Amino acid sequence: MSGDFTEIGRALPRKEDRRLVSGRGRYLDDLAFPGALHVSFVRSPHAHARILGIDSAEAAEMPGVVGIFTGRDLDQMTTRLRLAPPIEGLQPTELTTLPIDKVRFHGDPVVCVVATDRYLAEDAAECVAVEYDQLPAVTSITEAFASDAALVDDSLTSNMVSHQSLCVGDPAARRAEAHRVVEARFSLHRHTHVPLETRGCVADWDDGRAHLNMHIGNQVPHPLRSQLAARLGLSESQVTVMSPDVGGAFGQKIALYREELTVAALSRHLRRPIRWREDRMENLMSAAHAREYECRTRASVSETGRILGLELEIDEDFGGYCFYPANYMARVIALIMTGPYRIQDYAYEVRVALTNKCGAGPMRAPMAITSWVMEGTIDAIARDLDLDPVEVRRINALGPEDLPYKMPTGELLEDVSPRETLEIAVDAIDVAAFRARQAQARAEGRYLGLGLCTVIESTTYGSEFYKSAGIPGSGHESAWVRIEPSGAVNASVGLMGTGQGYESPLSQAVAEGLGVRSEDVTVHMGNTDIAPYGMGSRGGRGATAGGGTLYLCALKARERVLAIAASMLDLNDAGGLRMRAGQIERMIGDDWQETGLALTDIARRAYLDPLALPEGIAPGLDFSHSYDPPAMTYSNSTHACEVEVDPQTGAITIDRYLVAEDSGTVLNPIVVRGQQQGAIAMGLSGALLEQVIYDGTGQNLSATLADYLVASPNELPEFEILHHNTPNRRTPAGIKGMAEGGVMGAIGVLANAVSDALAPRGVTIERLPLTPQSIRALLREAAPSSTKRTQP
């Protein structure tokens, strides 16, 4: 299919880079609002405490202070967020805009101070005295599920906010007949997103028009507008969301958070523009966290390593508040766990705990732990049965003869290639040669390891997925394409870029469908008065949902253009016409020949001489289209890496890293490569260094970048990327999407490689991150014999 494309697949530079790298991007802080007020939030120093009183008298008297507002004040200006989807096992939750009676984590916003400049607001915030009555803090999943645990949310019956299970086939019977039952454990630590640009917004209430202009870097402008309108008691026609250039998001800029709603409500209340910029400490402490899971697997296997049945338990630490349905992310992990392998007897149990920590939300690859759990289980089987881990993968992997394949959870895999990418990666890394080097190194007292990790990446969620999951929402996307009287091409879609590099690939999708050059297409995003209502950017949906919808819309436009061209050429129909680079061509004999007509001629006729248009064709060239992708689309890949572990320091060196990737039709190889590199880097950084740390009282100990470490290029290797792209036959242009699989693969492959390296010391990695300190602790505790040692 890709061989027929002329614009899709071109390696075009990212259009937005010219302004971004030359310092001409326009971020929120570049926007001037004369007379704007500033806010600062007073945040809780305690993880769990009753609010007994708030004394703001001293702060209110300070020059420049305009107002001081509490949770009780905001409760009069906004509605509460209630999440109560009809999902069995999910407790409904409700929260106020700011806490009224008690705080639930260290950093919880309690009071909002409004002043004429930011410094005054922060000085005044320090003078607000809040009296607390401290309560026992719940800081772990184990504590949350204890029978005598303090309730994090007093309105619930327990801290288990969500509990779901599923059993398909008969895993218990498979266990009874198995040659061996292999158990494994996996603990992924708490992360946070660390966008270069922290959260912020400017709310500008136009009292004359009774209209709110909300300037905010956000991934989902239209759903955000709907939330803002509903929480403020406005109609959507009274709210415009405008998203300027955004310095990263990674899932942290999807929900309407409490600070942003507070700023919007106070702008309306005070009839003044108000701006807020989160500082780095607030971002690390209070924005949103992610990924804290404890997983256990039990695999029933044959003597050859064939998996007969799999049982999975997942516990998630969701923090103190639910900004999303609590079952959402963990359930997706359970749904796609079996991924690249032929497993039909499967059971899972998912429990989600509320604790006194910052609330959790989606982070690039919300299902990031999935591949580590599945591939770590494969390695555990190989160790237990003394088999080659590559052979265990081969005997279980899905091949072309298995497709389409329905996973035990009902998820449908089609047009994926896990066995093929596995073989490509195994060949490229040359396993036999590595094992020889590894043996030689071990003889010298050095610890080399090889890891493999095959990934099935869920990329685009269609409406059917949300409906089957019982979650309100839609997976559709909308687009418009407009050809102006001059022939200029404008297009828009409901996505919003936050650094992905959308502008070139989306232009290419339009150009391919219409028949013009990508350079001649301008894509508009991020303004709800301009863009059509779409579901925005999250997961890997940008290419499939956004690019696919624009491609279909452009095809619709091309059909009209060619119909007008046929009329202008006195042809009965447009069957023998096409447009390339904006020029109308006609098939004569076996050749495409120029007709002398161009898109500019068609556009001029459509707008300025409409009476000459064919009967039934309306004036103008303005088109819209909506598209709902399949319930779920999947990409796949296999990661392989070689590491060396220094037993003296615990340092890990990644000697080689490669990935064999099947991303379907690639809109723009430069952008896709950047996405793959960025995702792998993010996964490795999280596996090696990043960690949100709370102490036993719920104090956040990692709220600076000196404590929350992020990998730099010095810690990361070169990435070799091998392509094995197969189009999806059910999506426009065969697009699959990709953006998160690199995170999934990086976490799993690194953990497996370090386990392989430390196998002679009897160490298996069950807990991340793999800091030098954690590796040294394992080695100190390791027995000199081959006795197995796992992390506590």
Side-chain angles (χ1 to χ4, degrees):
M1 181 182 290
S2 59
D4 299 330
F5 295 140
T6 57
E7 294 297 322
I8 287 178
R10 291 177 63 195
L12 296 176
R14 295 168 22 132
K15 289 187 175 183
E16 53 270 74
D17 281 355
R18 179 180 177 277
R19 67 175 188 275
L20 298 181
V21 302
S22 63
R24 293 181 173 84
R26 284 173 61 81
Y27 297 88
L28 183 69
D29 290 345
D30 295 313
L31 307 180
F33 294 86
L37 302 173
H38 297 254
V39 304
S40 178
F41 289 92
V42 178
R43 297 185 180 274
S44 169
H46 306 296
H48 197 196
R50 298 281 175 202
I51 300 172
L52 301 181
I54 298 173
D55 183 355
S56 59
E58 180 184 352
E61 295 298 320
M62 294 175 69
V65 173
V66 175
I68 297 173
F69 301 90
T70 66
R72 204 169 298 283
D73 299 322
L74 269 299
D75 206 35
Q76 302 301 311
M77 304 177 196
T78 57
T79 63
R80 300 182 177 187
L81 174 63
R82 180 170 176 77
L83 293 179
I87 298 173
E88 185 177 358
L90 179 66
Q91 296 199 61
T93 60
E94 182 176 279
L95 62 92
T96 56
T97 299
L98 295 181
I100 295 175
D101 298 319
K102 78 169 187 178
V103 294
R104 299 190 195 170
F105 72 96
H106 178 204
D108 209 348
V110 180
V111 175
C112 182
V113 177
V114 185
T116 51
D117 77 33
R118 176 169 182 163
Y119 301 100
L120 291 174
E122 294 198 0
D123 288 347
E126 292 186 2
C127 294
V128 175
V130 183
E131 184 181 0
Y132 296 99
D133 177 22
Q134 287 194 61
L135 300 169
V138 178
T139 59
S140 70
I141 295 171
T142 301
E143 290 178 11
F145 291 158
S147 58
D148 60 347
L151 280 178
V152 175
D153 183 335
D154 294 337
S155 70
L156 304 186
T157 56
S158 76
N159 291 323
M160 191 183 298
V161 67
S162 180
H163 183 199
Q164 279 89 37
S165 61
L166 177 75
C167 183
V168 180
D170 195 344
R174 301 291 85 75
R175 197 182 329 129
E177 67 192 26
H179 169 72
R180 193 77 59 86
V181 177
V182 178
E183 298 187 358
R185 304 173 67 91
F186 308 86
S187 176
L188 188 60
H189 54 292
R190 181 166 279 244
H191 292 57
T192 189
H193 309 64
V194 204
L196 279 177
E197 182 189 23
T198 58
R199 295 180 300 159
C201 63
V202 178
D204 188 4
W205 175 256
D206 181 339
D207 202 46
R209 297 170 56 226
H211 189 96
L212 176 69
N213 289 313
M214 189 72 170
H215 305 265
I216 180 171
N218 187 267
Q219 300 171 235
V220 294
H222 276 287
L224 185 82
R225 182 185 66 149
S226 295
Q227 291 182 65
L228 262 176
R231 302 285 304 275
L232 293 170
L234 300 171
S235 78
E236 286 168 321
S237 60
Q238 290 180 280
V239 179
T240 301
V241 170
M242 287 167 275
S243 192
D245 288 325
V246 185
F250 309 115
Q252 200 176 71
K253 297 172 182 173
I254 294 177
L256 172 62
Y257 287 106
R258 296 174 297 168
E259 295 91 339
E260 297 149 355
L261 178 61
T262 296
V263 172
L266 294 181
S267 175
R268 183 187 184 193
H269 177 71
L270 296 171
R271 303 176 184 180
R272 298 274 297 274
I274 299 180
R275 65 189 315 153
W276 170 63
R277 169 62 73 195
E278 179 184 58
D279 66 30
R280 181 58 67 186
M281 181 173 288
E282 288 179 299
N283 180 262
L284 292 169
M285 179 185 292
S286 309
H289 293 170
R291 301 214 201 291
E292 190 168 2
Y293 295 102
E294 302 280 346
C295 298
R296 298 164 291 279
T297 59
R298 185 162 54 186
S300 302
V301 297
S302 71
E303 193 170 2
T304 60
R306 176 81 175 88
I307 300 175
L308 307 174
L310 182 69
E311 295 162 89
L312 167 71
E313 295 174 1
I314 303 176
D315 290 338
E316 180 182 8
D317 185 333
F318 211 63
Y321 293 103
C322 296
F323 296 102
Y324 301 85
N327 70 317
Y328 177 34
M329 290 170 282
R331 184 169 180 268
V332 173
I333 293 170
L335 282 176
I336 66 172
M337 177 56 65
T338 57
Y341 298 112
R342 273 181 280 107
I343 299 170
Q344 282 300 314
D345 294 80
Y346 175 59
Y348 69 71
E349 180 178 20
V350 178
R351 306 186 303 173
V352 182
L354 290 183
T355 63
N356 291 119
K357 300 177 184 174
C358 178
M363 181 174 167
R364 189 180 193 177
M367 57 293 188
I369 194 174
T370 309
S371 299
W372 178 30
V373 173
M374 192 65 243
E375 293 291 304
T377 299
I378 291 282
D379 278 1
I381 294 168
R383 281 193 300 273
D384 205 290
L385 300 182
D386 196 22
L387 297 173
D388 181 345
V390 174
E391 292 304 320
V392 176
R393 286 174 169 81
R394 283 176 173 148
I395 199 171
N396 289 290
L398 292 170
E401 69 278 8
D402 299 308
L403 302 178
Y405 184 79
K406 183 173 284 190
M407 291 191 239
T409 55
E411 289 297 300
L412 184 66
L413 291 174
E414 52 188 348
D415 299 322
V416 293
S417 54
R419 187 188 294 164
E420 291 89 335
T421 57
L422 170 65
E423 296 300 343
I424 292 170
V426 166
D427 287 346
I429 205 81
D430 194 347
V431 175
F434 172 80
R435 292 300 179 200
R437 292 199 307 277
Q438 183 184 48
Q440 178 63 35
R442 285 178 176 175
E444 300 167 356
R446 296 167 56 210
Y447 295 89
L448 306 188
L450 171 66
L452 293 170
C453 185
T454 295
V455 175
I456 290 288
E457 175 190 358
S458 51
T459 56
T460 307
Y461 299 59
S463 297
E464 186 180 339
F465 172 84
Y466 291 103
K467 184 177 181 181
S468 65
I471 300 172
S474 167
H476 85 280
E477 194 50 66
S478 299
W480 57 253
V481 172
R482 187 171 64 237
I483 303 164
E484 308 292 351
S486 66
V489 180
N490 285 298
S492 184
V493 69
L495 308 177
M496 180 58 208
T498 56
Q500 298 95 327
Y502 276 155
E503 295 181 23
S504 290
L506 296 182
S507 295
Q508 290 173 259
V510 174
E512 186 66 52
L514 182 57
V516 298
R517 297 189 319 145
S518 304
E519 293 85 343
D520 296 330
V521 178
T522 301
V523 177
H524 304 266
M525 292 175 286
N527 185 318
T528 55
D529 287 351
I530 296 173
Y533 198 112
M535 305 315 295
S537 299
R538 59 182 188 274
R541 74 187 304 274
T544 310
T549 308
L550 282 166
Y551 175 71
L552 294 174
C553 191
L555 287 176
K556 186 187 291 188
R558 182 176 70 179
E559 183 179 356
R560 177 80 62 83
V561 166
L562 294 182
I564 297 173
S567 169
M568 295 174 72
L569 293 169
D570 292 326
L571 300 175
N572 292 330
D573 59 51
L577 298 179
R578 74 176 188 183
M579 186 161 65
R580 286 286 187 274
Q583 302 296 317
I584 305 296
E585 298 176 351
R586 182 183 179 189
M587 176 68 80
I588 299 177
D590 293 329
D591 297 322
W592 288 102
Q593 298 183 10
E594 294 186 355
T595 63
L597 274 182
L599 182 59
T600 53
D601 304 308
I602 310 297
R604 193 175 304 115
R605 172 69 62 91
Y607 283 96
L608 305 180
D609 192 9
L611 296 180
L613 291 172
E615 185 177 353
I617 291 185
L621 293 170
D622 206 339
F623 308 90
S624 63
H625 190 83
S626 293
Y627 166 65
D628 203 341
M632 187 78 84
T633 60
Y634 290 95
S635 290
N636 65 276
S637 60
T638 297
H639 296 238
C641 82
E642 299 177 13
V643 302
E644 180 166 3
V645 180
D646 184 336
Q648 302 303 317
T649 66
I652 297 169
T653 302
I654 303 174
D655 294 326
R656 190 179 180 196
Y657 195 109
L658 66 83
V659 53
E661 182 109 22
D662 182 349
S663 302
T665 298
V666 171
L667 293 176
N668 183 316
I670 291 178
V671 172
V672 167
R673 184 175 182 81
Q675 286 287 306
Q676 292 164 336
Q677 291 172 326
I680 295 169
M682 193 169 194
L684 292 177
S685 180
L688 287 167
L689 296 171
E690 298 182 38
Q691 185 176 23
V692 176
I693 301 172
Y694 284 93
D695 70 11
T697 67
Q699 291 292 300
N700 187 317
L701 306 179
S702 52
T704 75
L705 289 177
D707 303 294
Y708 189 91
L709 303 180
V710 179
S712 70
N714 291 333
E715 287 83 29
L716 300 175
E718 292 290 329
F719 306 131
E720 304 169 44
I721 300 176
L722 311 172
H723 302 288
H724 178 76
N725 294 325
T726 54
N728 185 310
R729 285 169 287 190
R730 289 208 300 148
T731 63
I735 304 167
K736 289 179 177 176
M738 48 65 57
E740 300 186 322
V743 178
M744 302 168 71
I747 292 173
V749 77
L750 184 67
N752 290 345
V754 175
S755 288
D756 184 54
L758 298 181
R761 301 289 291 268
V763 170
T764 299
I765 299 302
E766 294 183 340
R767 182 177 296 276
L768 300 180
L770 299 172
T771 62
Q773 296 90 334
S774 70
I775 296 295
R776 280 293 303 144
L778 280 172
L779 291 171
R780 279 195 299 270
E781 297 169 7
S785 67
S786 60
T787 303
K788 181 181 178 183
R789 173 69 65 182
T790 57
Q791 291 166 289

